[in-house]
Amino acid sequence: MDHFMQAALDAAKRSLSEGGIPIGSVLVCGGEIIGVGYNRRVQEQSPVLHAEIDALRQAGRQPARVYRESILYTTLSPCSMCSGAILLYGIPNVVIGENRTYRGEEDLLGERGVHVEVIDSRECYDLLQQFIRAHRELWNEDIGRS
């Protein structure tokens, strides 16, 4: 696992340690992490604070060129909302830790010219599977099934 995906996984673990859903994301530009985020829906009582959105929020307001030169790393395939943000800001590359637990809008991203790479990380998968076994109701809420 490369340094950036490890940073996203560390963020996912931080969410878990806070009682949240263990999904993490980092936004990288020019080989540097400019935003680290994790799913904070539970912690912040927010319906929209997914890891990818949080990474964008933590990166702060950036010129459009920064987004167009960035790579978003996320431990789980991005949902419709997060994929919309990726498209809105023109992020050209997304690296996904795993998509066996949940497959988001990868096809849409690809159709719109985003390069999507799935690394199928066992660590990302195992972390989320353990969480789902213990907290199915929170997982269902996060993906809109409750």
Side-chain angles (χ1 to χ4, degrees):
M1 181 176 305
D2 78 8
H3 167 73
F4 300 124
M5 186 56 73
Q6 184 62 55
L9 183 59
D10 291 344
K13 291 175 182 176
R14 181 169 178 198
S15 182
L16 182 63
S17 76
E18 294 177 1
I21 298 164
I23 303 168
S25 185
V26 296
L27 185 65
V28 176
C29 186
E32 299 290 327
I33 294 174
I34 62 172
V36 177
Y38 53 92
N39 189 304
R40 296 177 192 249
R41 291 186 72 248
V42 174
Q43 300 94 313
E44 301 290 330
Q45 299 296 303
S46 168
V48 296
L49 210 43
H50 282 189
E52 299 89 341
I53 301 300
D54 192 39
L56 287 166
R57 187 175 75 122
Q58 296 301 324
R61 198 168 145 206
Q62 298 290 332
R65 70 164 179 75
V66 170
Y67 300 114
R68 290 191 307 264
E69 296 170 1
S70 292
I71 303 171
L72 184 75
Y73 289 77
T74 182
T75 60
L76 185 66
S77 185
C79 71
S80 298
M81 174 181 65
C82 296
S83 294
I86 291 163
L87 295 173
L88 177 66
Y89 290 105
I91 298 170
N93 296 290
V94 176
V95 179
I96 298 168
E98 69 104 348
N99 65 358
R100 289 182 283 157
T101 301
Y102 174 85
R103 184 173 165 91
E105 299 296 334
E106 296 169 36
D107 293 338
L108 173 65
L109 291 172
E111 290 167 7
R112 298 286 296 273
V114 176
H115 177 261
V116 176
E117 177 184 355
V118 180
I119 64 170
D120 197 24
S121 162
R122 185 67 163 171
E123 289 178 274
C124 292
Y125 177 79
D126 288 347
L127 180 65
L128 198 48
Q129 289 301 306
Q130 291 168 9
F131 174 81
I132 291 169
R133 281 193 295 277
H135 305 284
R136 175 135 333 251
E137 71 289 343
L138 281 179
W139 170 247
N140 286 339
E141 176 188 317
D142 193 56
I143 60 171
R145 288 189 186 152
S146 63

